[in-house]
Amino acid sequence: MDPKNYFKSMKINNDNLSQIIQLTHQSIADPKKLTDRVIQFGTGVLLRGLLDFYIDHANRTGDFEGSIVLVKSTNQGDINAFKEQNNHYTIQTEGIENGEIIQHQQIVTCISKVLTVQHDWDQLVNIAKQPNIEYIISNTTESGIVEVDEDLTGIPKSFPGRLTALLYARFLHFAGNPNNGWIILPTELIDNNADKLKAIVISIATKSNLSAAFVEWIENSNHFCNTLVDRIVPGKVETSGWEYEDELAIAVEPFNLWAIEVKNDTLKEKITFAAANPGIRLMDSIQNIKELKLRLLNATHTLLCPIAIIARHALVRESLNDPSIENWTRNLMRTEINRYLLTKGILEITINEFASVLIDRFKNPFIGHQWQAIFQNSTQKWIQRVIPILHTWNTLHTTSSATIALSMACYLKCHHLFNETELALDSQIQKALSQGSSPSDILGQKNIWTVDLSLNSSFVELVTKYMQDLDTKSIFQLIH
């Protein structure tokens, strides 16, 4: 009998794990030899495809030897798949790296248990009292780090409330021993995520009339580290051709980054899972990494999006596989964006290192990243991501940026060419265009852009010219 046919219907779990790794020629960290060291709030694909990926890899190299207690915070869905698979799952990495297509798998065995807040709160509190628990990791979405009125005598409603309750249980259990604090690593996509979380935790503790000694212990014996994560995790992967069943399998791109703001060398030494993972960067400040991601990745997406839509491209990879658009994108990154980042004190070698992998990421043939989705909230994205770059360029040069002007012209033109069912158009721009407003009038509306973009006559002239050119020329004629 063909071994593949024999194993094909097997589900990945403890009973079948040894046979599966033999069949797939993989190496794993033996879950029986791992000790719980992490409590993780969130079971989503970003955490499983990045942070758990890092910890699993550190286990296999022998740098960590720790397991994760996952906490499902919401009532949506269930944890049956985790139970059936003894919390094991597969990460399939697929994409382009150094110009070459890569595909490989990693069986993750670092999750010891999955709990739900509603059904397993008491068990979670007891786990929080264990001395071996050293780290709290979270991704509860951007709306997760908010303060709400809490009653800590029951199950708290919010993630900050739950963290406060667990910290208090640990504080009491260890009688305020300063050596039993945690390293707390929120990955929610908000600025200064750890600083905001810490402030809310202290506020909840104070409003709940918990002791001043506890608040002091939060302040001085726990380390709240701001972090930034970056990896595209499309989610569930097709496994029909695999030798085994895995309902939790996910796909990820090759690129991976977890920047952690660490204020001293002693703390850096405590984050032991970082040593095995080049994608984890322990830094005095993550501000430069935030700027690199915001401008090179996000602003490039925002500026390229209307051009790709005018070109009638549906997917990011489709656009970047066009040589003329690839060249336009590279030029944007090494001129306008590069010069902006240099003014922020970021070294050119650092800029080039970050930029060098972006084209490969954009071209990933396994990710169907849709321009239509990227177009959403474009005006707000222009305000946050692009206008600072434009302002810097205008300060340094007598003539405004033709590259940014062309993108703006395409963005305004999209409001002529498409309707609300096709694109998430800006209602204020739509209204202005329907009333016959000129590009200069629209660019001058602070209620749209928060600043008057018409003050730079060179930019207005370029946008106006490109909008006229788009009536008679193709976008490919204009980007050359």
Side-chain angles (χ1 to χ4, degrees), residues 175-190:
N177 189 324
N179 297 319
N180 291 110
W182 283 331
I183 296 173
I184 298 167
L185 304 166
T187 66
E188 287 80 356
L189 298 177
I190 58 174

Side-chain angles (χ1 to χ4, degrees), residues 304-340:
L304 182 54
C305 181
I307 288 172
I309 287 174
I310 293 291
R312 298 305 196 272
H313 289 167
L315 301 176
V316 173
R317 65 172 185 250
E318 181 183 3
S319 300
L320 270 297
N321 282 323
D322 183 285
S324 58
I325 289 183
E326 179 182 341
N327 289 336
W328 185 91
T329 304
R330 289 185 183 276
N331 182 64
L332 165 69
M333 290 193 290
R334 63 175 170 248
T335 51
E336 283 85 353
I337 296 177
N338 179 283
R339 289 172 196 178
Y340 170 84

Side-chain angles (χ1 to χ4, degrees), residues 137-297:
I137 295 173
S138 70
N139 193 303
T140 54
T141 77
E142 293 84 341
S143 60
I145 299 183
V146 294
E147 184 171 358
V148 300
D149 292 333
E150 290 285 14
D151 177 6
L152 299 186
T153 60
I155 301 175
K157 294 176 284 189
S158 67
F159 164 57
R162 292 162 185 168
L163 178 58
T164 306
L166 296 181
L167 283 165
Y168 191 55
R170 189 172 181 85
F171 169 79
L172 293 177
H173 183 75
F174 291 107
N177 189 324
N179 297 319
N180 291 110
W182 283 331
I183 296 173
I184 298 167
L185 304 166
T187 66
E188 287 80 356
L189 298 177
I190 58 174
D191 280 341
N192 304 312
N193 43 24
D195 293 341
K196 291 181 180 178
L197 177 59
K198 182 177 182 179
I200 295 171
V201 167
I202 290 174
S203 176
I204 292 171
T206 302
K207 290 176 181 177
S208 300
N209 296 315
L210 302 181
S211 68
F214 172 55
V215 174
E216 183 181 355
W217 184 79
I218 294 172
E219 287 268 18
N220 299 321
S221 301
N222 294 269
H223 303 280
F224 289 75
C225 302
N226 294 318
T227 79
L228 179 145
V229 293
D230 186 10
R231 185 176 223 181
I232 297 172
V233 184
K236 197 167 184 177
V237 66
E238 175 57 51
T239 62
S240 58
W242 291 15
E243 297 89 344
Y244 59 94
E245 296 178 12
D246 185 348
E247 291 183 36
L248 297 171
I250 54 175
V252 301
E253 67 167 335
F255 180 84
N256 56 88
L257 171 68
W258 188 10
I260 304 175
E261 200 166 83
V262 183
K263 299 298 185 182
N264 58 71
D265 291 338
T266 301
L267 183 55
K268 286 180 182 178
E269 291 172 3
K270 291 182 178 179
I271 304 178
T272 54
F273 53 78
N277 292 289
I280 299 179
R281 303 189 187 184
L282 306 181
M283 316 175 72
D284 295 336
S285 169
I286 62 171
Q287 185 57 43
N288 284 355
I289 291 287
K290 286 196 288 189
E291 280 289 349
L292 288 165
K293 181 175 183 285
L294 183 65
R295 309 306 170 187
L296 282 168
L297 175 62

Side-chain angles (χ1 to χ4, degrees), residues 27 67 177 342 358 368 394 434:
S27 63
S67 51
N177 189 324
L342 287 173
L358 285 177
N394 291 341
S434 68

Side-chain angles (χ1 to χ4, degrees), residues 412-428:
L412 298 181
K413 200 71 174 177
C414 283
H415 291 75
H416 271 308
L417 299 176
F418 301 95
N419 60 45
E420 300 91 334
T421 62
E422 297 169 301
L423 287 175
L425 302 173
D426 185 306
S427 60
Q428 293 184 96

Side-chain angles (χ1 to χ4, degrees), residues 54-67:
Y54 285 137
I55 288 175
D56 188 75
H57 181 69
N59 285 340
R60 285 186 284 115
T61 61
D63 289 287
F64 192 61
E65 297 181 343
S67 51

